[in-house]
Amino acid sequence: MVIEAFAECEVDDDEGWDQIVEHFLPKNAPNGLLQACCGVYPVKRLVRQAEIDARKIGSDGYIAEFASSQFRIDPSTYALSLLNAKDGSDYLLAGASENRVIFAGMPRDTIAKVQDNLIEQNVYPERLEIGTLSCLGALVDYLKFAKIKHPVVVLELDLDIAYSFIVSEEGLLASRLLPQGLKSMIPVVQKELGLKDEESARKLFFSNTFDFTGMGSKLVARLANELQSSIGFFEVQTGQSIGNVICPNLSSKLEWLEGVIVTQMGLSPIEMNLKPWLESRGITFSADTADMEITREWLGVLSLMPRYDAAQNDQTEEA
């Protein structure tokens, strides 16, 4: 696979998006739609690591009851998959013995809405993935490639909640939902700057026109406490120490938040050199992209590209 071009625009830049689609759209594209592999981050996505009782896996209703009680969802309304926490492969119910699994999915009506929205944007999703899953898979594979042995915290900040994961080269080790999302920081901004209402604070916070790092510790205090508690529990249970924190889904305007969180936690950011990793997976760069600096903000898109099963099959054939 060869990467020939990169393109991006702001979420609300309709004209910019139309230009991107027009640029990449083949002349004979069916129905004028751009065929694409899409990574999406719906609000109600479910990506949770859990310990099940493999002996009960064959019992009628066990998985549905487990998902309902542990994740507070109605399984009948979800498209759910059960994956192996170590490598993300499908969890085979027949003869299952592994207890550590990943529950992944989203509501069926959400899938329909996401697909409709993509088609409205002139994109036909040939493949639709939960971006969280592909990103976690890429990070696990990168840790193996870079020979990073210690576990790493992955923090996805949505507006209302935060998704916290702990990964290592051994796979997804833990997951937790935290009640502090980006919106929880808005009242702090309002108070610290003496603004008249939260709407003014929200616009300023997301505008990237003000340096918030000075009040950063106050913005993330509650989130850091929750995260520290989660990390502490993991380290006591496993005896392993967390080395780094990464916030892969932050927009460029909010990238400074990762630095604040890392400092508050007393940890380090993870340095990533993505080109050698991609090349190890058979993904190369054209003359137009060879000299481009591949920053980590491209990780979400790039994580959709590697085929880990194909690489494993190649190794098996060579052996």
Side-chain angles (χ1 to χ4, degrees):
M1 186 179 293
V2 179
I3 300 176
E4 297 180 346
F6 288 84
E8 65 179 335
C9 69
E10 295 291 339
V11 172
D12 56 357
D13 183 2
D14 294 335
E15 183 179 348
W17 178 249
D18 289 341
Q19 291 174 356
I20 289 175
V21 172
E22 183 179 353
H23 176 74
F24 286 115
L25 190 66
K27 291 181 179 179
N28 299 322
N31 303 316
L33 298 177
L34 181 64
Q35 311 283 307
C37 169
C38 303
V40 297
Y41 298 80
V43 173
K44 292 186 178 181
R45 64 191 181 277
L46 177 69
V47 179
R48 300 288 296 278
Q49 188 264 1
E51 298 282 338
I52 62 171
D53 188 342
R55 296 170 299 178
K56 297 180 181 180
I57 199 74
S59 303
D60 288 342
Y62 172 70
I63 293 298
E65 290 173 8
F66 187 95
S68 176
S69 62
Q70 294 293 316
F71 312 131
R72 298 179 182 178
I73 65 170
D74 179 359
S76 66
T77 65
Y78 269 68
L80 284 176
S81 289
L82 213 56
L83 309 173
N84 288 301
K86 185 173 183 178
D87 60 11
S89 60
D90 291 332
Y91 187 85
L92 303 178
L93 301 185
S97 59
E98 178 62 51
N99 293 326
R100 191 164 63 92
V101 300
I102 300 172
F103 282 80
M106 60 178 111
R108 289 187 176 87
D109 61 352
T110 297
I111 296 174
K113 290 176 183 177
V114 167
Q115 290 176 326
D116 289 344
N117 181 61
L118 287 167
I119 289 174
E120 288 176 5
Q121 302 297 321
N122 296 315
V123 173
Y124 180 84
E126 287 189 333
R127 196 168 91 227
L128 189 66
E129 298 191 21
I130 298 176
T132 301
L133 267 181
S134 63
C135 194
L136 290 174
L139 284 168
V140 169
D141 194 64
Y142 182 85
L143 295 177
K144 292 178 184 177
F145 169 78
K147 295 181 172 55
I148 297 174
K149 302 297 182 181
H150 55 258
V152 171
V153 170
V154 183
L155 190 64
E156 284 189 350
L157 287 165
D158 280 10
L159 286 176
D160 294 302
I161 58 175
Y163 295 79
S164 169
F165 305 96
I166 298 177
V167 301
S168 77
E169 60 178 3
E170 296 299 319
L172 177 59
L173 305 179
S175 64
R176 186 183 171 193
L177 285 183
L178 306 178
Q180 283 79 34
L182 292 170
K183 282 186 358 185
S184 69
M185 304 176 192
I186 304 303
V188 181
V189 172
Q190 181 187 1
K191 179 180 178 181
E192 290 297 311
L193 297 181
L195 300 175
K196 60 180 181 179
D197 54 44
E198 285 196 7
E199 180 60 21
S200 300
R202 186 191 69 80
K203 289 181 179 179
L204 185 61
F205 181 71
F206 288 105
S207 69
N208 198 30
T209 58
F210 185 86
D211 184 0
F212 288 100
T213 52
M215 67 178 78
S217 59
K218 295 179 180 179
L219 290 176
V220 303
R222 292 172 59 198
L223 174 64
N225 286 338
E226 290 276 357
L227 196 56
Q228 191 64 65
S229 175
S230 181
I231 290 174
F233 179 78
F234 172 82
E235 292 181 334
V236 169
Q237 289 289 105
T238 66
Q240 300 183 71
S241 297
I242 300 296
N244 308 100
V245 175
I246 180 172
C247 303
N249 74 325
L250 287 176
S251 69
S252 57
K253 291 181 178 180
L254 293 175
E255 279 185 340
W256 57 270
L257 260 177
E258 181 181 276
V260 170
I261 293 169
V262 165
T263 301
Q264 191 74 0
M265 301 297 299
L267 297 172
S268 304
I270 184 169
E271 300 294 332
M272 301 186 74
N273 189 357
L274 294 175
K275 277 190 174 181
W277 166 66
L278 289 167
E279 289 168 351
S280 76
R281 285 297 179 186
I283 300 168
T284 57
F285 297 82
S286 70
D288 291 333
T289 60
D291 295 330
M292 178 178 171
E293 181 184 1
I294 309 302
T295 60
R296 213 195 54 223
E297 77 179 77
W298 291 103
L299 180 62
V301 172
L302 295 172
S303 71
L304 299 169
M305 300 177 68
R307 283 287 305 277
Y308 311 112
D309 58 338
Q312 292 165 357
N313 291 339
D314 289 344
Q315 292 170 5
T316 301
E317 291 171 5
E318 289 173 3

